Amino acid sequence: MTKRQVSLRGKNILGLQGMTIAEMELILDSAREMKNIIDRDIKKVPTLRGKSIVNLFFEPSTRTRTSFELAGKYLGADVVNVTTSASSVVKGESLRDTLLTVEAMGVDIIVMRHEAEGAAEFAAASVNPVIVNAGDGAHEHPTQGLLDIYTIREKKKAIAGLKVAIIGDVLHSRVARSNIWGLLKMGAEVRVAGPRTLLPRDIEKFGVKVYDRVEPALAGVDVVNVLRIQRERQQKGLFPTPREYARIFGINQERLALAQPDALVMHPGPMNRGLEIAPDVAYSEQSSIQEQVKNGLAVRMAILFLVLMGGKDIETSA
Ligand code: CP
């Protein structure tokens, strides 16, 4: 065995498709340490004092934007939020010019959410600050994927060998893609289920098992990750009515009983309660939805720390 440095210092966090297992584990291990800070009475540490972070969100967000802001502040960085609806974007400023303007102010990290797939990669190619992808269209949402994997690992101790069902609007879901890439790399079996109209045509190529009924997909799984129906991204006619969707694909107690008795219920939020998930499932003892939010803060603290400061030695046979 030899020792090798794994480091994310200076690296853009664009997606889990391009991330190594060692890099993911570095983030997950660091997040566990960050969670200790969140649990303290006084949460602020000076680790990133003198560093600056801009949250540049072209789409709405509650969890991701707030947790990145708190993550930066808990670590002592200066954090500025740019809400594009109140910025010069509404005067027609392009994405590239917006990025160049933020860069000119000397920021260290730009956390960006954008409706276009590939926007984070474009940003990384356009400016020097580290880019952290907070969601680009239906492509990737790497910090959500990592916080989901963190939550599963915390509850189930390991990822390898677990059966994970991802249910619902996979077609429009960057959360699903980041989960799929990350979970498969870490050795889980991943199943996806939903109406055929909400499953990408080539989804089998990801290496997942595909179901157009929920019941067989849920049989014996360890984790049920329920996706939001993204009505804002859908054309008409992808499913008959919300009531029909809930009846055929909604996760209720009866369907949840098909999974392992201790199966973990997850949802990235925001939820359409009563549509993709029944309220008594969302707030059941099996639900980790609130814990996911807390873990999101820890994972985002870990990422901000690691891209500016961090690495560690790992044992490897390579
Ligand atoms: N899961 C998620 O990305 O939520 P927000 O849109 O509230 O950030």
Side-chain angles (χ1 to χ4, degrees):
M1 295 285 268
T2 53
K3 279 211 163 156
R4 191 167 60 84
Q5 255 282 307
V6 53
S7 175
L8 286 166
R9 191 183 291 211
K11 286 199 178 170
N12 302 302
I13 305 295
L14 303 181
L16 298 194
Q17 185 178 12
M19 198 177 274
T20 65
I21 296 171
E23 287 169 338
M24 285 193 284
E25 285 180 343
L26 175 62
I27 294 169
L28 300 177
D29 292 345
S30 304
R32 195 167 47 210
E33 289 163 31
M34 295 299 172
K35 214 168 163 182
N36 295 331
I37 298 175
I38 299 168
D39 286 333
R40 285 185 202 163
D41 198 24
I42 307 290
K43 297 168 174 53
K44 211 165 176 85
V45 295
T47 317
L48 297 185
R49 192 160 55 197
K51 302 291 183 185
S52 53
I53 298 163
V54 166
N55 284 329
L56 185 58
F57 277 59
F58 291 80
E59 284 190 330
S61 167
T62 299
R63 281 147 279 269
T64 314
R65 198 200 57 74
T66 308
S67 58
F68 266 117
E69 180 176 355
L70 283 175
K73 287 180 172 170
Y74 286 174
L75 292 172
D78 294 310
V79 184
V80 173
N81 297 306
V82 179
T83 307
T84 53
S85 60
S87 76
S88 289
V89 169
V90 294
K91 300 178 201 164
E93 190 161 44
S94 70
L95 173 57
R96 186 161 185 276
D97 287 346
T98 303
L99 289 162
L100 289 170
T101 302
V102 172
E103 178 182 42
M105 295 179 202
V107 305
D108 299 290
I109 300 176
I110 298 174
V111 178
M112 192 175 86
R113 171 171 288 189
H114 197 280
E115 65 273 15
E117 285 100 44
E121 206 170 325
F122 173 81
S126 302
V127 291
N128 287 315
V130 171
I131 301 296
V132 178
N133 182 7
D136 60 329
H139 177 226
E140 281 232 35
H141 191 350
T143 61
Q144 179 73 44
L146 286 163
L147 79 87
D148 289 342
I149 293 169
Y150 181 95
T151 305
I152 298 169
R153 198 176 77 157
E154 188 175 61
K155 300 276 184 195
K156 300 285 176 191
K157 308 301 172 213
I159 301 294
L162 292 179
K163 294 185 174 72
V164 180
I166 299 175
I167 309 289
D169 185 0
V170 180
L171 182 65
H172 301 101
S173 180
R174 52 196 175 210
V175 174
R177 283 166 185 74
S178 290
N179 266 270
I180 289 168
W181 291 123
L183 287 165
L184 287 176
K185 271 185 205 182
M186 297 190 91
E189 175 188 311
V190 182
R191 305 173 180 183
V192 299
R196 271 283 159 188
T197 49
L198 292 180
L199 298 176
R201 202 170 301 175
D202 58 352
I203 188 72
E204 288 87 354
K205 290 189 188 148
F206 281 67
V208 297
K209 296 187 177 179
V210 185
Y211 301 80
D212 51 18
R213 300 278 308 167
V214 176
E215 289 78 5
L218 289 175
V221 295
D222 303 287
V223 179
V224 183
N225 197 349
V226 188
L227 300 174
R228 180 172 69 88
I229 293 291
Q230 300 196 30
R231 286 186 271 200
E232 77 279 15
R233 294 189 209 276
Q234 292 187 12
Q235 310 129 359
K236 281 188 180 146
L238 292 180
F239 58 88
T241 63
R243 183 187 280 211
E244 278 293 279
Y245 184 89
R247 192 176 65 77
I248 300 171
F249 296 100
I251 301 304
N252 53 26
Q253 289 288 3
E254 197 183 340
R255 292 202 172 104
L256 182 59
L258 299 168
Q260 292 291 343
D262 62 347
L264 200 60
V265 174
M266 306 177 75
H267 192 301
M271 283 183 280
N272 298 299
R273 278 191 287 134
L275 178 56
E276 69 262 4
I277 188 164
D280 61 346
V281 172
Y283 298 108
S284 67
E285 288 202 346
Q286 285 172 256
S287 169
S288 64
I289 293 170
Q290 289 296 96
E291 199 66 23
Q292 283 173 265
V293 175
K294 182 173 181 178
N295 292 339
L297 179 51
V299 162
R300 287 165 183 137
M301 286 172 77
I303 286 172
L304 297 179
F305 167 73
L306 289 168
V307 297
L308 291 179
M309 303 289 184
K312 74 167 181 184
D313 290 327
I314 56 165
E315 299 280 350
T316 171
S317 51

